[in-house]
């Protein structure tokens, strides 16, 4: 088994010494998993001793996607986040979804209980809390979902909640989605923008070489 996330030991890769090896390996593991190469990703974690995420973060993600809201809040507290504002905001996102899913399933009393005993005591987003309270008066779940501009319960929306949580939590705890792709696209964009003779942005650029059009080309580059 791979060890827990190691502290940054200062080891770097690259000629300029600006890339932390731990971060570098983690985003490669993430890319492998995202590409469906689960075995390769797990092997890299094992061999490097560097995990994409700690077991508690894995559990947190699973709890959110499975709609285990109480467990999600409990696991959130174990992620090692010290900033109370972040914890409150993350709890709010989780409990808001718990509330909406209760109402959608017709459990208005359960929803109200969540609102009064769990969401309101957080003491944040007061206007939103009032808005949520008004939703309990909705005559049907369809009206409710229209009111909250919500797609409702289910995997897609839970995935969106997870993405919102990801934006809130420190990236060292939950690495933002598609980080490697984002960095590569950013590098290509910089090369394209600095290309003096570039005409068209329609073509994919090669990853094998740095992009540069010559004056003679004056045509869309490949
Ligand atoms: Zn060009």
């Amino acid at each position: 088994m791979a060890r827990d996330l190691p502290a940054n030991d200062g080891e770097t890769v690259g000629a300029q010494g600006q890339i932390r090896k731990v971060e570098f390996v983690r985003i490669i593991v993430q890319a492998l998993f995202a590409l469906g190469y689960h075995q390769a990703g797990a092997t890299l974690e094992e061999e490097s001793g560097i995990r994409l995420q700690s077991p508690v973060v894995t559990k947190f993600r699973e709890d959110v996607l499975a709609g285990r809201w109480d467990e999600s809040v409990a696991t959130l507290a174990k992620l090692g986040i010290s900033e109370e504002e972040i914890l409150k905001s993350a709890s709010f996102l989780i409990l808001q979804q718990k509330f909406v899913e209760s109402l959608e399933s017709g459990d208005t009393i359960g929803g109200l209980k969540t609102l009064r005993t769990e969401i309101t005591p957080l003491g944040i987003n007061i206007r939103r809390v009032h808005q949520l309270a008004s939703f309990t008066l909705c005559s049907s779940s369809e009206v409710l979902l229209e009111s909250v501009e919500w797609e409702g319960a289910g995997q897609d929306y839970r995935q969106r909640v997870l993405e919102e949580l990801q934006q809130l939590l420190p990236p060292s705890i939950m690495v933002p989605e598609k980080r490697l792709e984002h960095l590569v696209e950013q590098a290509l964009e910089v090369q394209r923008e600095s290309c003096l003779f570039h005409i068209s942005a329609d073509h994919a650029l090669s990853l094998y070489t740095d992009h540069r059009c010559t004056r003679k080309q004056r045509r869309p580059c490949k």
Side-chain angles (χ1 to χ4, degrees):
M1 286 288 290
R3 299 185 297 273
D4 276 349
L5 288 179
N8 179 31
D9 55 9
E11 199 175 348
T12 59
V13 294
Q16 298 177 17
Q18 291 181 340
I19 303 168
R20 294 189 186 101
K21 185 178 173 184
V22 168
E23 295 183 4
F24 195 57
V25 172
R26 287 179 78 191
I27 66 170
I28 293 172
V29 172
Q30 183 191 50
L32 288 173
F33 282 134
L35 288 167
Y37 304 133
H38 298 283
Q39 200 178 337
T43 303
L44 177 53
E45 284 187 319
E46 181 69 33
E47 190 171 353
S48 64
I50 297 169
R51 277 184 181 276
L52 169 60
Q53 56 200 16
S54 66
V56 70
V57 171
T58 302
K59 180 174 183 328
F60 179 66
R61 295 176 63 100
E62 289 169 357
D63 285 343
V64 171
L65 291 176
R68 295 189 291 262
W69 307 119
D70 296 342
E71 286 92 330
S72 299
V73 173
T75 314
L76 172 69
K78 297 176 188 165
L79 294 182
I81 299 162
S82 51
E83 293 87 347
E84 199 174 341
E85 286 309 305
I86 294 178
L87 282 172
K88 280 186 180 180
S89 298
S91 297
F92 191 95
L93 283 174
I94 293 166
L95 294 168
Q96 180 177 247
Q97 182 65 10
K98 178 184 178 182
F99 166 83
V100 169
E101 291 198 14
S102 290
L103 260 55
E104 200 191 25
S105 66
D107 183 11
T108 310
I109 292 174
L112 276 171
K113 191 180 169 204
T114 299
L115 191 63
R116 286 179 185 155
T117 64
E118 298 181 279
I119 297 178
T120 305
L122 291 173
I124 59 169
N125 302 345
I126 303 301
R127 185 185 287 182
R128 182 66 176 163
V129 171
H130 290 156
Q131 202 180 12
L132 293 177
S134 69
F135 299 152
T136 60
L137 304 174
C138 291
S139 53
S140 74
S141 61
E142 277 176 28
V143 176
L144 162 74
L145 295 176
E146 266 176 39
S147 306
V148 287
E149 296 173 351
W150 230 290
E151 291 162 19
Q155 212 56 33
D156 284 352
Y157 193 75
R158 289 174 187 171
Q159 180 67 41
R160 275 178 52 190
V161 171
L162 191 61
E163 284 166 16
E164 284 181 49
L165 286 166
Q166 209 152 23
Q167 287 172 13
L168 206 58
L169 303 178
S172 59
I173 291 179
M174 278 173 84
V175 180
E177 293 286 332
K178 299 181 179 173
R179 188 62 195 155
L180 184 58
E181 283 172 44
H182 174 74
L183 287 174
V184 173
E185 282 178 341
Q186 201 175 47
L188 293 179
E189 193 55 36
V190 169
Q191 289 176 22
R192 196 180 348 239
E193 280 178 0
S194 62
C195 178
L196 290 175
F197 305 108
H198 203 77
I199 296 172
S200 168
D202 296 340
H203 295 264
L205 306 185
S206 172
L207 295 183
Y208 299 140
T209 55
D210 289 348
H211 173 78
R212 192 166 66 95
C213 299
T214 62
R215 185 191 295 267
K216 277 184 184 173
Q217 277 175 305
R218 278 263 175 205
R219 59 186 169 79
C221 330
K222 291 179 182 172

